Structure formats: structure tokens, C-alpha cells
């Protein structure tokens, strides 16, 4: 059953692909909601709904958990939030173009837990690799694929191969 995407939600505090999300969603005529805390100022087109929440540690996550519905899409880097949204039937995508799924999310959460444990014990852990242009292109292609599947559209993600931000 193809459910039409109602809204693409974005955990926008540290999202490196905001412009790409706007471009793809405008192409597919999909509504967007960018959620961020007061400490992050967003400058986005008028077609984007911007929701600003308190600076509390999990305020953005709580807003998303309470508003995202089955069939929506959410872009987030937060594995814990992704796992909760997956259980609600939300397609969840990382800014690097990784589509979270039930099969891999447990391993991701375990790795996160072990890294946190090691840091609490004074150990060092590696951070993520630098964000590259290839990551942007992978994200654009994955989001376009999701939206074209959901919308039943024949538009192709290849329209974005030559875009530069």
C-alpha cells in the first residue's frame, strides 16, 4: 500500500543538508517542517514551516515524536530518535543518505552505547568522517527515491546530479 507522504520532518539543529531537502521537497511538492531549538537560527524559504522549541536537551526529539505520523519521512542523525520513529512506521533517513531500518538500528544503538561507555571511562572514540559532496548526492538520491515511491511519481532523482551547494 503506497501511502502519500504528508510531511517531511527535519531534525534541523545540526542538519548539513537543509538546502538539499528544500530542493527535493519543492520538486515533489511535499510539505516540510524543520524543527530546531532557539539556539539555532534557520534561514529558509517561505515554503518551509519552521518550528522552534526550547533549548532543553531533548525538546526537538520530543516535538518530532509527538507530531510525526505513520507514512511521514524524517531526516535525523539521532539513532535513538530514528529507532522510535521506525516503530511508528516513519521512514527515517540520515543526512548521509542512510535509510534506517529495523534490522540495523539495534546494532547502531549498541555501538553508540559502547562508545558512550568508553568515553565515560576516560577513553577516546573516533568521531564521524568528514561530510563530503558524495554524502550530499547519496542523500539527494535516497530522499528523491523515497518521495518518488511514495508519491507514485515518475520524476527521477538524476535531476540533482549536477547541483552544487
Amino acid at each position: 500500500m503506497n501511502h502519500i507522504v504528508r510531511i517531511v520532518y527535519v531534525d534541523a539543529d545540526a542538519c548539513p543538508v537543509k538546502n538539499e531537502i528544500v530542493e527535493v521537497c519543492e520538486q515533489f511538492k511535499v510539505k516540510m517542517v524543520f524543527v530546531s531549538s532557539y539556539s539555532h537560527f534557520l534561514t529558509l524559504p517561505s515554503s518551509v514551516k519552521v518550528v522552534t522549541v526550547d533549548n532543553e536537551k531533548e525538546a526537538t526529539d520530543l516535538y518530532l515524536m509527538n507530531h510525526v505520523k505513520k507514512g511521514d519521512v524524517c531526516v535525523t542523525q539521532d539513532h535513538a530518535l530514528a529507532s522510535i520513529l521506525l516503530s511508528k512506521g516513519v521512514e527515517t533517513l540520515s543526512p548521509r543518505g542512510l535509510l534506517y531500518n529495523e534490522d540495523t538500528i539495534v546494532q547502531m544503538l549498541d555501538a553508540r552505547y559502547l562508545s558512550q561507555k568508553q568515553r565515560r571511562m576516560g577513553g577516546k572514540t573516533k568521531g564521524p568522517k568528514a561530510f563530503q559532496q558524495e554524502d550530499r548526492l547519496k542523500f539527494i538520491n535516497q530522499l528523491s527515491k523515497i518521495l518518488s515511491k511514495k508519491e507514485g511519481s515518475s520524476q527521477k532523482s538524476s535531476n540533482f546530479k549536477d547541483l552544487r551547494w
Side-chain angles (χ1 to χ4, degrees):
M1 179 174 107
N2 274 350
H3 175 79
I4 294 176
V5 173
R6 293 178 296 204
I7 301 173
V8 172
Y9 286 89
V10 181
D11 183 353
D13 282 341
C15 182
V17 289
K18 293 178 189 84
N19 293 331
E20 292 81 356
I21 294 167
V22 171
E23 292 288 331
V24 173
C25 287
E26 285 180 347
Q27 178 190 13
F28 287 95
K29 297 176 178 52
V30 174
K31 294 179 182 179
M32 302 162 268
V33 176
F34 283 62
V35 183
S36 69
S37 67
Y38 283 111
S39 60
H40 295 86
F41 179 75
L42 301 179
T43 304
L44 296 164
S46 61
S47 61
V48 177
K49 179 178 179 181
V50 177
V51 175
T52 306
V53 297
D54 288 336
N55 278 338
E56 297 298 319
K57 186 177 179 191
E58 305 299 331
T60 301
D61 295 354
L62 287 172
Y63 181 90
L64 290 166
M65 286 186 282
N66 289 323
H67 289 83
V68 176
K69 304 276 189 272
K70 181 177 182 174
D72 289 337
V73 175
C74 184
V75 178
T76 184
Q77 298 181 76
D78 186 333
H79 298 148
L81 175 61
S83 70
I84 293 167
L85 296 179
L86 282 173
S87 69
K88 291 179 75 172
V90 176
E91 286 203 68
T92 311
L93 179 65
S94 81
R96 292 182 185 266
L98 171 69
L99 188 58
Y100 297 107
N101 64 60
E102 297 288 341
D103 297 333
T104 58
I105 197 69
V106 174
Q107 293 171 324
M108 296 170 98
L109 290 170
D110 287 344
R112 179 181 132 171
Y113 169 75
L114 293 173
S115 291
Q116 288 173 335
K117 186 175 177 180
Q118 186 174 351
R119 285 191 300 272
R120 278 194 303 269
M121 293 179 0
K124 301 284 183 194
T125 59
K126 290 184 180 181
K129 294 186 292 185
F131 196 79
Q132 303 290 325
Q133 184 66 17
E134 297 83 42
D135 296 316
R136 288 183 194 287
L137 294 175
K138 183 177 177 186
F139 174 80
I140 290 167
N141 288 329
Q142 187 69 277
L143 182 60
S144 297
K145 184 176 170 182
I146 291 168
L147 296 181
S148 65
K149 177 181 70 170
K150 294 276 187 183
E151 296 294 322
S153 171
S154 62
Q155 294 175 336
K156 298 198 187 298
S157 60
S158 61
N159 297 346
F160 291 97
K161 283 183 182 172
D162 296 322
L163 291 179
R164 305 282 181 232
W165 281 279

